Amino acid sequence: MSTETPGIDPLQALRAPRDPACDVFLTGPVFLDIIFTGLDSAPVRGTESWARGMGSSPGGVANMATALARLGLRTSLAAAFGDDHYGEYCWDALEQGEGIDLSMSHTVPGWHSPVTVSMAYEGERTMVSHGHEAPAPAPAAGTPAGTTGTGSPAGATGTGSPAGTGTPTGTTGTGTGTPAPAFPHCPPRARAAIASLAPGRSEPWVAAAARNGALIFADVGWDETGRWDLDALPGLAHCEAFLPNAEEAMRYTRTDCPRTAAHALAERVPLAVVTLGAEGAYAVDGRTGTAAEVPAIAVEALDPTGAGDVFVAGFVTGTLADWPLADRLAFAGLTAALSVQEFGGSLSAPGWAEVAAWWQLIRTVDDQDPAALERYAFLDDLLPTTARAWPLRRAVPTIGFRQ
């Protein structure tokens, strides 16, 4: 993350002394992503394909965590990391590079990091992944499950040390300590938490986070069972916002229109947000009945990896900052559009410097629709008066280089 990025805190005007130290909490698997771009076509069996671009970065849940942190939210991630070089690289990139709190994360001795190879071509990407589920950390001998040796809640270090000290939770500074107990029974206090719902899977931490005052934002994946039953998503009952794509929303609501589906979902959750791909996004506030729709920004996509995560991060930012619904959708769509112009999930997540540079540039382009520009006028109150030139140059991390 560039040191020139403007230090914008989108929640500065809302912060109070008794607020949680954490703005957003999330958990999930971290992958090492290896991304190839500049492929003219899909790889062909029996041949060798050369890509014109390549980069490596933390992936999986790290895409969302990075997107949140770059937008100025204090982000805490609970994840397992392998004790191989890939795991060390991902830990360092997230904690030192992005400022993400990893105090609830842990390293797993002898477990290798999951890896995804992503190949981007023709505006889409194909991925090949490999990994094994991380074993839960074992509590210290003689310690009841769910506590550390000091009786701290599961997931806590038990030392009272501040987050981000550079030492993975569950190890000492030399890597010889006892693994910390598994998260997620006691998530930290946070303004918001982000969950990924799956049919038939209960996530106790989601209910715990909601009880502690966190607003729960959730997306959902493809239902391999084919039942598409909202009642099979137990976490939905705790959600502030549910953000499926158009196909998922229509299948879950048995409707043939994504906007109709959004209204149906708003009867189950306070905020229903349906992404419409190239058409943009549509949202309904179930409390007030207010609906908003914002068209997508037309861009030349290099790599769509992580765009959905960036969209959610932008919407969470706007919601926590208490922006109007249409502004939240516009900002989420903008950040997603900026992300697909770069490659890699976490690599491409924009920060405020990128948003400011885009806003500075777009107003100088001839033949802009005044109404379309007005849709983003709220940025004037958020952004610094000066910004770096567009396009911005991004560092492309490659494993093995030392600064």
Side-chain angles (χ1 to χ4, degrees):
M1 184 167 58
S2 169
T3 57
E4 297 179 56
T5 301
I8 293 178
D9 179 358
L11 307 185
Q12 183 174 7
L14 302 175
R15 297 196 185 280
R18 295 182 180 274
D19 285 346
C22 173
D23 291 331
V24 187
F25 172 77
L26 64 168
T27 183
V30 172
F31 285 69
L32 172 74
D33 280 358
I34 302 172
I35 306 102
F36 292 107
T37 63
L39 290 164
D40 295 320
S41 62
V44 177
R45 185 175 63 180
T47 67
E48 181 179 15
S49 298
W50 279 82
R52 290 187 290 275
M54 188 278 289
S56 305
S57 65
V61 72
N63 294 341
M64 181 86 71
T66 299
L68 292 162
R70 289 186 179 183
L71 291 176
L73 297 183
R74 300 169 185 174
T75 303
S76 177
L77 171 64
F81 289 78
D83 66 348
D84 52 11
H85 287 310
Y86 292 170
E88 292 174 2
Y89 163 75
C90 289
W91 186 291
D92 182 71
L94 295 174
E95 185 179 60
Q96 303 300 324
E98 305 294 346
I100 295 168
D101 169 25
L102 298 181
S103 62
M104 296 195 74
S105 294
H106 62 280
T107 54
V108 181
W111 180 68
H112 73 77
S113 302
V115 176
T116 291
V117 175
S118 177
M119 294 161 282
Y121 54 89
E122 298 175 357
E124 263 300 342
R125 86 279 197 214
T126 298
M127 296 183 288
V128 178
S129 298
H130 173 73
H132 304 281
E133 185 174 354
T143 303
T147 62
T148 64
T150 61
S152 302
T157 61
T159 63
S161 301
T165 59
T167 303
T169 301
T171 64
T172 66
T174 60
T176 59
T178 302
F183 156 75
H185 304 293
C186 187
R189 275 189 70 226
R191 295 172 185 266
I194 300 176
S196 184
L197 305 183
R201 187 181 71 195
S202 177
E203 299 279 10
W205 75 265
V206 174
R211 285 194 301 271
N212 287 336
L215 300 178
I216 308 298
F217 297 76
D219 60 12
V220 68
W222 191 258
D223 185 357
E224 298 292 348
T225 70
R227 290 192 290 269
W228 299 98
D229 180 8
L230 285 172
D231 291 330
L233 303 175
L236 194 65
H238 306 290
C239 285
E240 167 72 12
F242 184 46
L243 301 96
N245 64 32
E247 185 66 23
E248 293 159 352
M250 290 187 291
R251 287 179 179 266
Y252 270 116
T253 58
R254 311 295 193 269
T255 59
D256 57 6
C257 170
R259 293 162 185 82
T260 302
H263 283 275
L265 290 171
E267 297 177 3
R268 303 285 296 262
V269 292
L271 280 171
V273 182
V274 177
T275 54
L276 309 174
E279 295 183 41
Y282 186 84
V284 179
D285 185 328
R287 295 188 180 99
T288 65
T290 302
E293 181 168 3
V294 175
I297 298 173
V299 296
E300 183 175 346
L302 173 65
D303 178 12
T305 302
D309 294 328
V310 172
F311 180 94
V312 173
F315 189 81
V316 170
T317 300
T319 301
L320 294 183
D322 201 25
W323 299 347
L325 185 57
D327 290 354
R328 299 180 222 173
L329 281 187
F331 185 72
L334 168 60
T335 54
L338 294 176
S339 77
V340 301
Q341 297 176 78
E342 303 284 344
F343 66 82
S346 60
L347 283 179
S348 67
W352 288 104
E354 286 83 356
V355 173
W358 174 84
W359 183 231
Q360 186 180 72
L361 170 73
I362 202 68
R363 289 178 293 178
T364 67
V365 177
D366 295 334
D367 302 324
Q368 285 291 327
D369 179 0
L373 281 180
E374 183 63 25
R375 173 62 273 155
Y376 296 92
F378 68 94
L379 293 174
D380 282 330
D381 296 329
L382 298 170
L383 299 172
T385 56
T386 58
R388 297 162 59 200
W390 183 275
L392 304 173
R393 292 183 59 85
R394 287 187 177 279
V396 180
T398 300
I399 296 171
F401 286 163
R402 298 287 185 186
Q403 294 184 348

